[in-house]
Amino acid sequence: MKEHQLIDIEKISVNPENPRHTQIMIADELFIMQQLVRNSREATAMYKLISDIYENGWYPQSIITLTYNKKTGKFVAWDGNRRLTAIKILKKPKLIESFKYFSYTQRRSIYAMSKKFKELE
């Protein structure tokens, strides 16, 4: 078994059993991500995380711990759900339209970062 492996972000799901929030029985990943941003303070923290990942890149110590779910055929984040959510938003900024607590300025900035991020890929 490999200790470190690069895995396509589309093959990783945010954990519905994340110990930081109430267990969610709904398997909809967007709903699970929304539970990590339930107010403007959490939106600001998520925006800072998105900006930090965009500006500074990904550090080896920022590893997201995963388990594999045979039932869904996807990896599930055991640790790093906020980082995973930040990366998913950065890669697909239209996701933020489903989050009601990001400010207009934050949304515009995320779209701009995402555009530049895609140019760097």
Side-chain angles (χ1 to χ4, degrees), residues 45-70:
M46 181 62 72
Y47 173 76
K48 287 179 181 177
L49 181 57
I50 293 167
S51 297
D52 186 54
I53 291 169
Y54 171 75
E55 291 173 11
N56 300 308
W58 190 258
Y59 294 104
Q61 63 269 30
S62 298
I63 292 171
I64 297 173
T65 305
L66 306 173
T67 58
Y68 186 74
N69 184 326
K70 290 180 185 177

Side-chain angles (χ1 to χ4, degrees), residues 3-20:
E3 284 188 33
H4 298 95
Q5 181 178 353
L6 293 176
I7 300 171
D8 183 351
I9 196 85
E10 298 302 319
K11 294 180 181 177
I12 306 172
S13 296
V14 177
N15 190 348
E17 298 176 15
N18 183 339
R20 285 190 169 189

Side-chain angles (χ1 to χ4, degrees), residues 66-83:
L66 306 173
T67 58
Y68 186 74
N69 184 326
K70 290 180 185 177
K71 196 177 188 181
T72 63
K74 283 193 165 193
F75 291 90
V76 178
W78 184 252
D79 177 54
N81 286 289
R82 290 184 70 250
R83 284 171 277 156

Side-chain angles (χ1 to χ4, degrees), residues 9 14 30-32 36 38 41 49 54 58 65 73 76 80 83-84 90-92 100 103 107 114:
I9 196 85
V14 177
L30 180 57
F31 180 77
I32 297 165
L36 299 173
R38 293 180 291 183
R41 182 184 55 79
L49 181 57
Y54 171 75
W58 190 258
T65 305
V76 178
R83 284 171 277 156
L84 178 59
L90 189 56
K91 288 189 68 83
K92 292 184 179 179
K100 55 184 164 182
S103 71
R107 291 172 192 271
S114 177

Side-chain angles (χ1 to χ4, degrees), residues 21 24 30-38 42 99:
H21 57 71
I24 301 167
L30 180 57
F31 180 77
I32 297 165
M33 289 190 297
Q34 289 169 335
Q35 300 311 298
L36 299 173
V37 186
R38 293 180 291 183
E42 290 174 351
F99 291 80

